[in-house]
Amino acid sequence: MALLAGGKSALYIDGKLSDGGAGTFATLNPATEEVLGVAADADATDMDRAIAAARSAFDDTDWSRNTELRVRCVRQLREAMQQHIEELRELTISEVGAPRMLTSMAQLEGPVNDLAFAADTAESYPWRQDLGQAAPMGIPTKRTIAREAVGVVGAITPWNFPHQINLAKLGPALAAGNTVVLKPAPDTPWCAAVLGELIAEHTDFPPGVVNIVTSSDHGVGALLAKDPRVDMVSFTGSTATGRSVMSDGAATIKRVFLELGGKSAFVVLDDADLGAAAGVAGFSVCMHAGQGCAITTRLVVPRSRYDEAVAIAAATMGGIRAGDPTNPKTICGPLISARQRDRVQGYLDSAVAEGGTFACGGGRPEGRDVGFFIEPTLIAGLGNEAKVSREEIFGPVLTVIAHDGDDDAVRIANDSPYGLSGTVYGADPDRAAGVAARIRAGTINVNGGVWYSADAPFGGYKQSGNGREMGVAGFEEYLETKLVATAAN
Protein backbone atom coordinates (compact mmCIF):
# COMPACT_ATOMS: atom_id res chain seq x y z
CA MET A 1 0.00 0.00 0.00
CA ALA A 2 1.42 3.37 -1.05
CA LEU A 3 0.23 6.05 1.33
CA LEU A 4 -1.52 9.04 -0.24
CA ALA A 5 -1.20 7.64 -3.73
CA GLY A 6 -1.35 10.28 -6.42
CA GLY A 7 -0.47 13.07 -4.02
CA LYS A 8 -4.04 13.41 -2.80
CA SER A 9 -5.70 12.63 0.53
CA ALA A 10 -9.34 11.96 1.32
CA LEU A 11 -11.74 12.52 4.17
CA TYR A 12 -12.50 9.49 6.33
CA ILE A 13 -16.14 9.50 7.43
CA ASP A 14 -18.30 6.60 8.61
CA GLY A 15 -15.73 4.02 7.54
CA LYS A 16 -15.30 5.36 3.99
CA LEU A 17 -12.72 7.50 2.21
CA SER A 18 -14.38 10.33 0.30
CA ASP A 19 -13.83 13.66 -1.42
CA GLY A 20 -14.49 16.97 0.28
CA GLY A 21 -17.52 19.07 -0.46
CA ALA A 22 -15.33 22.16 -0.98
CA GLY A 23 -12.95 20.40 -3.37
CA THR A 24 -9.27 20.27 -2.46
CA PHE A 25 -6.58 22.53 -1.04
CA ALA A 26 -2.82 22.42 -1.39
CA THR A 27 -0.32 21.30 1.22
CA LEU A 28 3.18 22.79 1.00
CA ASN A 29 6.71 21.81 1.85
CA PRO A 30 7.80 24.64 4.20
CA ALA A 31 11.48 24.08 3.43
CA THR A 32 11.12 24.42 -0.35
CA GLU A 33 7.73 26.17 -0.74
CA GLU A 34 6.82 23.49 -3.27
CA VAL A 35 3.30 22.07 -3.46
CA LEU A 36 3.40 18.48 -2.23
CA GLY A 37 -0.14 17.68 -3.34
CA VAL A 38 -3.70 18.29 -2.26
CA ALA A 39 -6.00 17.35 0.59
CA ALA A 40 -9.75 16.90 0.58
CA ASP A 41 -11.38 20.18 1.61
CA ALA A 42 -14.39 19.53 3.82
CA ASP A 43 -17.36 21.85 4.15
CA ALA A 44 -20.01 22.11 6.85
CA THR A 45 -22.03 19.29 5.29
CA ASP A 46 -19.04 16.95 5.55
CA MET A 47 -18.57 17.84 9.19
CA ASP A 48 -22.26 17.24 9.82
CA ARG A 49 -21.90 13.76 8.30
CA ALA A 50 -18.87 13.04 10.45
CA ILE A 51 -20.57 14.11 13.67
CA ALA A 52 -23.68 12.09 12.78
CA ALA A 53 -21.55 9.01 12.10
CA ALA A 54 -19.70 9.37 15.40
CA ARG A 55 -22.96 9.88 17.28
CA SER A 56 -24.53 6.78 15.74
CA ALA A 57 -21.44 4.64 16.35
CA PHE A 58 -21.48 5.62 20.02
CA ASP A 59 -25.24 5.34 20.60
CA ASP A 60 -26.12 2.35 18.44
CA THR A 61 -23.15 -0.05 18.78
CA ASP A 62 -21.37 -1.73 21.68
CA TRP A 63 -18.09 0.13 21.00
CA SER A 64 -18.15 1.93 24.36
CA ARG A 65 -18.71 -1.37 26.21
CA ASN A 66 -16.44 -3.69 24.22
CA THR A 67 -13.05 -3.14 25.79
CA GLU A 68 -11.47 -6.10 24.01
CA LEU A 69 -12.39 -4.68 20.58
CA ARG A 70 -11.13 -1.22 21.47
CA VAL A 71 -7.78 -2.51 22.70
CA ARG A 72 -7.35 -4.63 19.59
CA CYS A 73 -8.14 -1.74 17.24
CA VAL A 74 -5.75 0.70 18.93
CA ARG A 75 -2.98 -1.89 18.78
CA GLN A 76 -3.75 -2.56 15.12
CA LEU A 77 -3.37 1.16 14.35
CA ARG A 78 -0.01 1.20 16.11
CA GLU A 79 1.16 -1.84 14.18
CA ALA A 80 0.00 -0.35 10.87
CA MET A 81 1.88 2.88 11.52
CA GLN A 82 5.00 0.95 12.48
CA GLN A 83 4.79 -1.06 9.26
CA HIS A 84 4.66 2.19 7.26
CA ILE A 85 7.04 4.15 9.46
CA GLU A 86 9.49 5.11 6.68
CA GLU A 87 6.72 6.47 4.45
CA LEU A 88 5.33 8.36 7.42
CA ARG A 89 8.80 9.71 8.21
CA GLU A 90 9.25 11.18 4.74
CA LEU A 91 5.72 12.60 4.79
CA THR A 92 6.38 14.25 8.15
CA ILE A 93 9.66 15.80 7.09
CA SER A 94 8.09 17.12 3.90
CA GLU A 95 4.79 18.45 5.24
CA VAL A 96 5.78 19.59 8.74
CA GLY A 97 9.36 20.64 8.01
CA ALA A 98 10.35 18.50 10.99
CA PRO A 99 14.07 17.74 11.15
CA ARG A 100 14.74 14.09 10.36
CA MET A 101 16.40 13.54 13.74
CA LEU A 102 13.17 14.46 15.55
CA THR A 103 11.11 11.85 13.70
CA SER A 104 12.77 9.14 15.80
CA MET A 105 11.43 10.96 18.87
CA ALA A 106 8.33 13.10 19.52
CA GLN A 107 7.63 13.91 15.88
CA LEU A 108 6.73 10.33 14.91
CA GLU A 109 8.15 7.17 16.45
CA GLY A 110 7.53 8.25 20.05
CA PRO A 111 3.80 8.92 19.71
CA VAL A 112 3.26 5.84 17.56
CA ASN A 113 4.84 3.67 20.26
CA ASP A 114 2.82 5.54 22.91
CA LEU A 115 -0.41 4.09 21.50
CA ALA A 116 0.54 0.97 23.44
CA PHE A 117 0.07 2.86 26.71
CA ALA A 118 -3.51 3.78 25.78
CA ALA A 119 -4.34 0.18 24.88
CA ASP A 120 -2.64 -1.26 27.94
CA THR A 121 -4.38 1.24 30.22
CA ALA A 122 -7.81 0.35 28.85
CA GLU A 123 -7.06 -3.36 29.22
CA SER A 124 -6.10 -3.10 32.90
CA TYR A 125 -8.25 -0.15 33.99
CA PRO A 126 -10.59 -0.64 37.00
CA TRP A 127 -13.81 0.23 35.18
CA ARG A 128 -15.93 -0.57 38.24
CA GLN A 129 -15.18 0.04 41.92
CA ASP A 130 -17.18 -1.47 44.77
CA LEU A 131 -17.82 1.09 47.52
CA GLY A 132 -19.37 -1.54 49.72
CA GLN A 133 -22.66 -1.42 51.55
CA ALA A 134 -23.97 1.48 53.62
CA ALA A 135 -27.32 2.67 54.91
CA PRO A 136 -27.83 6.29 53.86
CA MET A 137 -31.12 7.58 55.30
CA GLY A 138 -31.53 4.15 56.88
CA ILE A 139 -31.81 2.30 53.57
CA PRO A 140 -29.33 -0.58 53.08
CA THR A 141 -27.60 0.12 49.77
CA LYS A 142 -24.83 -1.41 47.68
CA ARG A 143 -22.78 1.29 45.90
CA THR A 144 -20.67 0.90 42.76
CA ILE A 145 -18.66 3.54 40.91
CA ALA A 146 -18.59 2.98 37.15
CA ARG A 147 -16.29 4.80 34.74
CA GLU A 148 -17.77 5.23 31.28
CA ALA A 149 -16.88 6.98 28.04
CA VAL A 150 -17.90 10.62 27.64
CA GLY A 151 -19.41 10.04 24.19
CA VAL A 152 -18.54 11.84 20.95
CA VAL A 153 -15.20 13.66 21.14
CA GLY A 154 -14.24 16.45 18.77
CA ALA A 155 -10.45 16.64 18.53
CA ILE A 156 -8.95 19.83 17.07
CA THR A 157 -5.20 19.74 16.58
CA PRO A 158 -2.34 22.06 15.49
CA TRP A 159 0.46 21.68 12.97
CA ASN A 160 3.66 21.74 15.03
CA PHE A 161 3.75 18.13 16.29
CA PRO A 162 0.82 16.63 14.37
CA HIS A 163 1.44 12.93 15.02
CA GLN A 164 2.14 13.45 18.69
CA ILE A 165 -0.95 15.55 19.29
CA ASN A 166 -3.29 13.61 16.98
CA LEU A 167 -2.38 10.30 18.62
CA ALA A 168 -2.30 11.70 22.17
CA LYS A 169 -5.99 12.48 21.64
CA LEU A 170 -7.08 9.54 19.48
CA GLY A 171 -5.34 6.82 21.51
CA PRO A 172 -6.86 7.47 24.95
CA ALA A 173 -10.20 8.76 23.64
CA LEU A 174 -10.79 5.62 21.58
CA ALA A 175 -9.37 3.21 24.15
CA ALA A 176 -11.68 4.78 26.75
CA GLY A 177 -14.71 3.98 24.58
CA ASN A 178 -15.45 7.26 22.84
CA THR A 179 -16.00 7.91 19.17
CA VAL A 180 -13.97 10.72 17.60
CA VAL A 181 -14.10 13.39 14.91
CA LEU A 182 -10.57 14.65 14.25
CA LYS A 183 -10.12 18.08 12.64
CA PRO A 184 -6.41 18.75 12.00
CA ALA A 185 -4.76 22.06 11.16
CA PRO A 186 -4.93 23.12 7.48
CA ASP A 187 -1.11 23.35 7.38
CA THR A 188 -0.63 19.60 7.96
CA PRO A 189 -3.66 17.75 6.60
CA TRP A 190 -1.78 14.73 5.28
CA CYS A 191 -0.38 13.72 8.68
CA ALA A 192 -3.96 13.24 9.84
CA ALA A 193 -5.55 12.00 6.62
CA VAL A 194 -3.06 9.15 6.33
CA LEU A 195 -4.56 7.71 9.52
CA GLY A 196 -7.84 7.25 7.67
CA GLU A 197 -6.12 5.13 5.03
CA LEU A 198 -4.37 3.00 7.62
CA ILE A 199 -7.53 2.53 9.68
CA ALA A 200 -9.55 1.56 6.61
CA GLU A 201 -6.96 -0.96 5.36
CA HIS A 202 -5.44 -2.41 8.51
CA THR A 203 -7.83 -2.23 11.47
CA ASP A 204 -11.17 -3.45 12.72
CA PHE A 205 -12.47 -0.05 13.80
CA PRO A 206 -16.24 -0.09 13.14
CA PRO A 207 -17.63 2.58 10.80
CA GLY A 208 -18.15 5.93 12.47
CA VAL A 209 -15.85 5.32 15.43
CA VAL A 210 -13.04 7.39 13.86
CA ASN A 211 -13.74 10.25 11.46
CA ILE A 212 -11.05 12.50 9.98
CA VAL A 213 -12.12 15.79 8.47
CA THR A 214 -9.49 17.95 6.77
CA SER A 215 -10.47 21.47 5.74
CA SER A 216 -8.89 24.78 4.82
CA ASP A 217 -11.69 26.51 6.75
CA HIS A 218 -11.13 26.90 10.50
CA GLY A 219 -14.88 27.47 10.81
CA VAL A 220 -15.49 23.81 9.97
CA GLY A 221 -13.54 22.81 13.07
CA ALA A 222 -15.43 25.35 15.17
CA LEU A 223 -18.64 23.41 14.46
CA LEU A 224 -17.40 20.67 16.80
CA ALA A 225 -17.59 23.00 19.78
CA LYS A 226 -21.00 24.32 18.79
CA ASP A 227 -22.77 21.07 17.90
CA PRO A 228 -24.91 19.57 20.72
CA ARG A 229 -24.23 16.06 19.40
CA VAL A 230 -20.58 16.44 20.45
CA ASP A 231 -20.05 15.67 24.15
CA MET A 232 -16.47 16.87 24.50
CA VAL A 233 -13.92 18.95 22.62
CA SER A 234 -10.22 18.28 23.07
CA PHE A 235 -8.30 21.24 21.66
CA THR A 236 -4.59 22.00 21.35
CA GLY A 237 -3.58 25.35 19.92
CA SER A 238 -3.37 29.04 20.67
CA THR A 239 -4.85 30.57 23.79
CA ALA A 240 -6.94 32.96 21.68
CA THR A 241 -8.58 30.09 19.79
CA GLY A 242 -8.94 28.15 23.04
CA ARG A 243 -11.07 30.97 24.43
CA SER A 244 -13.37 30.68 21.40
CA VAL A 245 -13.63 26.91 21.80
CA MET A 246 -14.53 27.30 25.47
CA SER A 247 -17.08 29.97 24.68
CA ASP A 248 -18.70 27.91 21.91
CA GLY A 249 -18.79 24.82 24.10
CA ALA A 250 -20.46 26.69 26.95
CA ALA A 251 -23.75 26.81 25.06
CA THR A 252 -24.20 23.05 25.52
CA ILE A 253 -22.12 22.76 28.72
CA LYS A 254 -19.88 20.25 26.96
CA ARG A 255 -16.61 19.16 28.47
CA VAL A 256 -13.69 21.16 27.04
CA PHE A 257 -10.04 20.13 27.34
CA LEU A 258 -7.56 22.86 26.40
CA GLU A 259 -3.80 22.61 25.92
CA LEU A 260 -2.77 26.11 24.94
CA GLY A 261 0.21 28.43 24.71
CA GLY A 262 3.27 28.92 26.83
CA LYS A 263 6.03 31.40 27.60
CA SER A 264 8.11 29.19 29.81
CA ALA A 265 11.07 30.30 31.88
CA PHE A 266 14.50 28.62 32.10
CA VAL A 267 15.67 29.72 35.55
CA VAL A 268 19.40 29.57 36.31
CA LEU A 269 20.34 29.91 39.99
CA ASP A 270 23.58 31.57 41.08
CA ASP A 271 25.17 28.24 42.07
CA ALA A 272 24.44 26.55 38.73
CA ASP A 273 26.91 25.57 36.03
CA LEU A 274 26.13 28.58 33.84
CA GLY A 275 27.91 27.17 30.81
CA ALA A 276 25.83 24.01 30.79
CA ALA A 277 22.56 25.79 31.59
CA ALA A 278 22.83 28.59 29.04
CA GLY A 279 24.02 26.15 26.41
CA VAL A 280 21.05 23.85 26.97
CA ALA A 281 18.63 26.78 26.87
CA GLY A 282 20.09 28.00 23.58
CA PHE A 283 20.01 24.54 22.03
CA SER A 284 16.48 23.62 23.09
CA VAL A 285 14.86 26.76 21.69
CA CYS A 286 16.27 25.93 18.25
CA MET A 287 14.77 22.45 18.01
CA HIS A 288 12.07 22.33 15.33
CA ALA A 289 12.60 26.08 14.90
CA GLY A 290 11.16 26.71 18.35
CA GLN A 291 7.71 25.54 17.30
CA GLY A 292 6.74 23.90 20.56
CA CYS A 293 4.37 25.25 23.19
CA ALA A 294 6.42 23.89 26.11
CA ILE A 295 9.83 25.11 24.91
CA THR A 296 11.52 27.46 27.39
CA THR A 297 11.83 30.85 25.66
CA ARG A 298 12.86 33.09 28.59
CA LEU A 299 16.36 32.52 29.98
CA VAL A 300 16.34 34.00 33.50
CA VAL A 301 19.90 34.37 34.82
CA PRO A 302 21.73 36.03 37.74
CA ARG A 303 22.26 39.72 37.00
CA SER A 304 25.93 39.50 37.95
CA ARG A 305 26.52 36.94 35.20
CA TYR A 306 24.15 38.32 32.60
CA ASP A 307 26.73 39.16 29.94
CA GLU A 308 28.40 35.77 30.36
CA ALA A 309 25.08 33.98 29.94
CA VAL A 310 24.31 35.98 26.79
CA ALA A 311 27.71 35.10 25.32
CA ILE A 312 27.32 31.37 26.07
CA ALA A 313 23.78 31.10 24.71
CA ALA A 314 24.71 33.17 21.63
CA ALA A 315 27.67 30.91 20.90
CA THR A 316 25.41 27.87 21.05
CA MET A 317 22.62 29.37 18.97
CA GLY A 318 24.97 31.02 16.51
CA GLY A 319 26.46 27.63 15.74
CA ILE A 320 23.06 26.18 14.83
CA ARG A 321 22.01 26.92 11.28
CA ALA A 322 18.43 26.91 10.07
CA GLY A 323 18.60 24.29 7.37
CA ASP A 324 17.29 21.42 5.31
CA PRO A 325 15.11 19.15 7.48
CA THR A 326 16.03 16.12 5.36
CA ASN A 327 19.62 16.40 6.62
CA PRO A 328 20.07 14.08 9.63
CA LYS A 329 22.22 16.73 11.35
CA THR A 330 19.66 19.55 11.11
CA ILE A 331 18.22 20.75 14.41
CA CYS A 332 16.43 23.92 13.29
CA GLY A 333 14.27 23.48 10.22
CA PRO A 334 11.82 25.93 8.65
CA LEU A 335 8.78 27.54 10.20
CA ILE A 336 5.53 26.08 8.95
CA SER A 337 4.44 28.89 6.64
CA ALA A 338 5.18 32.34 5.26
CA ARG A 339 2.52 33.68 7.60
CA GLN A 340 4.31 32.25 10.62
CA ARG A 341 7.71 33.46 9.42
CA ASP A 342 6.34 36.98 9.02
CA ARG A 343 4.75 36.78 12.46
CA VAL A 344 8.07 35.84 14.07
CA GLN A 345 9.86 38.60 12.17
CA GLY A 346 7.30 41.05 13.53
CA TYR A 347 8.27 40.06 17.07
CA LEU A 348 11.95 40.51 16.26
CA ASP A 349 11.22 43.99 14.90
CA SER A 350 9.34 44.81 18.10
CA ALA A 351 12.35 43.78 20.19
CA VAL A 352 14.51 46.34 18.39
CA ALA A 353 11.82 48.98 18.75
CA GLU A 354 11.75 48.41 22.52
CA GLY A 355 15.52 48.77 22.83
CA GLY A 356 16.68 45.17 22.63
CA THR A 357 19.67 43.87 20.71
CA PHE A 358 20.40 40.62 18.90
CA ALA A 359 23.35 38.68 20.25
CA CYS A 360 22.88 36.42 17.23
CA GLY A 361 20.33 36.05 14.45
CA GLY A 362 17.56 38.54 13.88
CA GLY A 363 15.99 37.54 10.57
CA ARG A 364 16.11 35.27 7.56
CA PRO A 365 19.31 33.27 7.08
CA GLU A 366 21.65 34.59 4.43
CA GLY A 367 21.41 32.60 1.22
CA ARG A 368 18.02 31.05 2.04
CA ASP A 369 15.58 33.00 -0.08
CA VAL A 370 13.37 29.94 -0.50
CA GLY A 371 11.70 28.29 2.45
CA PHE A 372 10.17 29.73 5.60
CA PHE A 373 13.36 30.05 7.65
CA ILE A 374 14.33 32.30 10.55
CA GLU A 375 17.80 32.29 12.11
CA PRO A 376 18.14 31.19 15.73
CA THR A 377 17.91 34.53 17.52
CA LEU A 378 19.02 35.60 20.98
CA ILE A 379 17.55 38.86 22.35
CA ALA A 380 19.39 40.78 25.06
CA GLY A 381 18.80 44.04 26.90
CA LEU A 382 15.09 43.68 27.64
CA GLY A 383 13.13 42.93 30.80
CA ASN A 384 10.14 40.74 31.46
CA GLU A 385 7.75 43.53 30.47
CA ALA A 386 8.83 43.49 26.81
CA LYS A 387 6.47 42.10 24.19
CA VAL A 388 8.92 39.33 23.26
CA SER A 389 9.09 38.34 26.93
CA ARG A 390 5.35 38.10 27.41
CA GLU A 391 3.86 36.73 24.20
CA GLU A 392 4.30 33.32 22.60
CA ILE A 393 6.46 33.76 19.48
CA PHE A 394 6.65 30.14 18.26
CA GLY A 395 10.02 30.56 16.60
CA PRO A 396 13.72 29.92 17.41
CA VAL A 397 13.88 33.00 19.65
CA LEU A 398 15.25 33.23 23.21
CA THR A 399 15.12 36.33 25.44
CA VAL A 400 17.65 36.68 28.28
CA ILE A 401 16.33 38.35 31.44
CA ALA A 402 18.29 39.22 34.59
CA HIS A 403 17.18 38.23 38.10
CA ASP A 404 18.33 39.35 41.55
CA GLY A 405 18.11 36.13 43.53
CA ASP A 406 15.80 33.16 43.92
CA ASP A 407 12.72 35.13 44.96
CA ASP A 408 13.10 37.48 42.02
CA ALA A 409 13.65 34.58 39.62
CA VAL A 410 10.43 32.95 40.82
CA ARG A 411 8.60 36.26 40.48
CA ILE A 412 9.78 36.65 36.88
CA ALA A 413 8.96 33.06 35.97
CA ASN A 414 5.42 33.46 37.36
CA ASP A 415 4.90 36.95 35.91
CA SER A 416 3.22 35.56 32.80
CA PRO A 417 -0.33 34.78 31.72
CA TYR A 418 0.95 31.30 30.89
CA GLY A 419 2.02 28.36 33.03
CA LEU A 420 2.80 25.43 30.78
CA SER A 421 6.40 24.48 31.43
CA GLY A 422 9.64 25.54 33.05
CA THR A 423 13.20 24.61 33.89
CA VAL A 424 15.39 25.18 36.96
CA TYR A 425 19.17 24.66 37.04
CA GLY A 426 21.06 24.75 40.33
CA ALA A 427 23.93 22.89 42.00
CA ASP A 428 22.07 22.33 45.27
CA PRO A 429 19.30 19.80 44.47
CA ASP A 430 17.14 20.82 47.43
CA ARG A 431 17.39 24.49 46.59
CA ALA A 432 16.58 23.84 42.91
CA ALA A 433 13.62 21.66 43.89
CA GLY A 434 12.39 24.40 46.22
CA VAL A 435 12.45 26.97 43.42
CA ALA A 436 10.73 24.52 41.06
CA ALA A 437 7.97 24.00 43.63
CA ARG A 438 7.21 27.72 43.61
CA ILE A 439 6.91 28.03 39.81
CA ARG A 440 3.28 27.79 38.71
CA ALA A 441 3.54 25.55 35.68
CA GLY A 442 2.28 22.10 34.77
CA THR A 443 5.67 20.58 33.89
CA ILE A 444 9.05 21.42 35.40
CA ASN A 445 12.48 20.14 34.36
CA VAL A 446 15.07 20.28 37.13
CA ASN A 447 18.70 20.01 36.04
CA GLY A 448 17.88 18.28 32.77
CA GLY A 449 15.12 15.88 33.80
CA VAL A 450 12.77 14.77 31.00
CA TRP A 451 9.05 15.15 31.64
CA TYR A 452 7.77 13.86 28.27
CA SER A 453 6.56 10.26 28.58
CA ALA A 454 3.44 8.27 27.67
CA ASP A 455 2.71 7.53 31.32
CA ALA A 456 3.22 11.11 32.56
CA PRO A 457 0.48 13.79 32.48
CA PHE A 458 1.10 16.95 30.47
CA GLY A 459 -0.74 20.26 30.71
CA GLY A 460 -0.61 23.75 32.11
CA TYR A 461 -1.75 26.30 34.65
CA LYS A 462 -3.44 29.65 34.03
CA GLN A 463 -3.96 30.53 30.34
CA SER A 464 -1.95 27.52 29.23
CA GLY A 465 -5.12 25.45 29.50
CA ASN A 466 -7.04 23.03 31.67
CA GLY A 467 -6.95 19.28 32.12
CA ARG A 468 -4.13 16.89 31.28
CA GLU A 469 -3.06 14.93 28.24
CA MET A 470 -1.16 11.62 28.40
CA GLY A 471 -0.72 9.42 31.45
CA VAL A 472 -3.63 7.93 33.37
CA ALA A 473 -4.86 11.46 34.02
CA GLY A 474 -5.07 12.03 30.27
CA PHE A 475 -6.95 8.75 29.80
CA GLU A 476 -9.44 9.75 32.48
CA GLU A 477 -10.16 13.08 30.76
CA TYR A 478 -12.26 10.99 28.38
CA LEU A 479 -14.31 9.26 31.08
CA GLU A 480 -17.48 10.06 33.03
CA THR A 481 -18.09 8.89 36.60
CA LYS A 482 -21.37 7.13 37.41
CA LEU A 483 -22.54 5.99 40.82
CA VAL A 484 -24.92 3.01 40.82
CA ALA A 485 -26.81 2.56 44.11
CA THR A 486 -28.72 -0.72 44.46
CA ALA A 487 -31.08 -1.44 47.33
CA ALA A 488 -29.72 -4.28 49.46
CA ASN A 489 -32.65 -6.41 50.61
Side-chain angles (χ1 to χ4, degrees):
M1 171 185 175
L3 300 180
L4 304 179
K8 179 181 179 181
S9 68
L11 308 179
Y12 183 66
I13 298 175
D14 203 14
K16 300 182 180 66
L17 298 169
S18 63
D19 294 334
T24 61
F25 65 102
T27 185
L28 302 180
N29 183 323
T32 66
E33 302 185 41
E34 296 174 341
V35 174
L36 296 171
V38 297
D41 199 1
D43 58 16
T45 300
D46 294 316
M47 180 58 80
D48 179 76
R49 290 195 297 119
I51 294 172
R55 186 77 261 167
S56 178
F58 185 81
D59 292 341
D60 302 331
T61 76
D62 71 343
W63 172 257
S64 66
R65 301 178 298 280
N66 192 337
T67 304
E68 181 181 354
L69 173 61
R70 300 198 306 269
V71 169
R72 181 171 79 247
C73 288
V74 171
R75 288 175 176 160
Q76 286 173 334
L77 176 58
R78 177 175 180 262
E79 291 166 5
M81 295 189 77
Q82 289 175 330
Q83 290 169 5
H84 292 273
I85 202 71
E86 294 308 322
E87 289 175 86
L88 291 169
R89 191 185 318 280
E90 298 307 318
L91 184 158
T92 306
I93 294 168
S94 297
E95 186 176 54
V96 185
R100 182 176 295 277
M101 65 177 292
L102 294 184
T103 62
S104 63
M105 296 179 278
Q107 278 288 6
L108 178 61
E109 291 187 39
V112 171
N113 291 333
D114 289 350
L115 285 172
F117 178 81
D120 293 348
T121 300
E123 192 170 49
S124 61
Y125 192 75
W127 296 99
R128 300 180 72 83
Q129 178 186 354
D130 184 1
L131 281 188
Q133 185 167 318
M137 294 180 284
I139 301 174
T141 303
K142 295 178 180 179
R143 289 98 31 87
T144 302
I145 295 175
R147 302 304 301 275
E148 300 178 344
V150 171
V152 175
V153 173
I156 306 173
T157 58
W159 43 260
N160 58 326
F161 282 79
H163 296 301
Q164 195 280 318
I165 300 169
N166 289 343
L167 297 180
K169 296 185 188 303
L170 283 176
L174 294 168
N178 301 278
T179 59
V180 179
V181 179
L182 172 63
K183 167 59 176 69
D187 298 283
T188 52
W190 278 6
C191 285
V194 71
L195 297 176
E197 291 190 16
L198 293 173
I199 289 170
E201 293 287 334
H202 298 284
T203 77
D204 297 324
F205 279 102
V209 168
V210 185
N211 304 273
I212 301 171
V213 181
T214 57
S215 177
S216 62
D217 182 0
H218 288 284
V220 169
L223 296 174
L224 288 167
K226 297 175 181 178
D227 198 300
R229 295 170 294 177
V230 176
D231 300 294
M232 174 181 176
V233 172
S234 180
F235 171 81
T236 299
S238 72
T239 295
T241 305
R243 290 191 189 98
S244 296
V245 170
M246 180 173 277
S247 177
D248 288 341
T252 53
I253 319 296
K254 60 169 52 71
R255 185 178 298 186
V256 176
F257 165 82
L258 301 174
E259 196 273 284
L260 308 175
K263 192 67 185 178
S264 303
F266 192 121
V267 173
V268 183
L269 305 182
D270 60 17
D271 67 343
D273 180 340
L274 183 65
V280 169
F283 179 87
S284 62
V285 81
C286 296
M287 295 186 71
H288 192 35
Q291 297 173 115
C293 54
I295 291 174
T296 46
T297 54
R298 293 180 292 153
L299 177 58
V300 183
V301 301
R303 189 176 301 278
S304 63
R305 303 188 71 183
Y306 184 87
D307 292 342
E308 184 183 356
V310 169
I312 294 167
T316 298
M317 296 177 70
I320 298 173
R321 306 297 181 191
D324 180 3
T326 66
N327 186 329
K329 296 182 179 180
T330 294
I331 296 166
C332 181
L335 298 175
I336 191 65
S337 64
R339 178 186 66 256
Q340 182 62 16
R341 180 193 60 204
D342 294 345
R343 179 178 179 274
V344 173
Q345 186 63 59
Y347 277 106
L348 300 184
D349 295 344
S350 78
V352 174
E354 291 189 65
T357 59
F358 299 134
C360 66
R364 298 187 66 170
E366 184 177 350
R368 285 206 173 272
D369 298 328
V370 175
F372 309 129
F373 294 94
I374 287 284
E375 298 173 289
T377 300
L378 184 69
I379 299 171
L382 295 176
N384 200 52
E385 72 284 350
K387 183 177 181 180
V388 292
S389 301
R390 303 204 66 79
E391 298 184 15
E392 186 175 47
I393 297 174
F394 235 57
V397 181
L398 181 65
T399 303
V400 188
I401 301 168
H403 74 74
D404 295 308
D406 294 6
D407 289 347
D408 192 44
V410 170
R411 179 193 63 80
I412 292 169
N414 289 336
D415 181 17
S416 170
Y418 300 108
L420 187 56
S421 184
T423 293
V424 178
Y425 264 58
D428 182 338
D430 292 336
R431 180 183 173 193
V435 170
R438 296 165 62 193
I439 295 176
R440 291 188 54 74
T443 56
I444 301 288
N445 153 4
V446 178
N447 290 330
V450 177
W451 45 258
Y452 174 81
S453 179
D455 64 346
F458 173 75
Y461 291 14
K462 301 188 283 188
Q463 293 184 35
S464 287
N466 55 47
R468 292 296 180 268
E469 200 151 63
M470 304 173 68
V472 174
F475 182 84
E476 290 180 337
E477 290 286 347
Y478 297 98
L479 295 178
E480 293 280 17
T481 301
K482 176 187 286 184
L483 177 68
V484 180
T486 305
N489 298 321

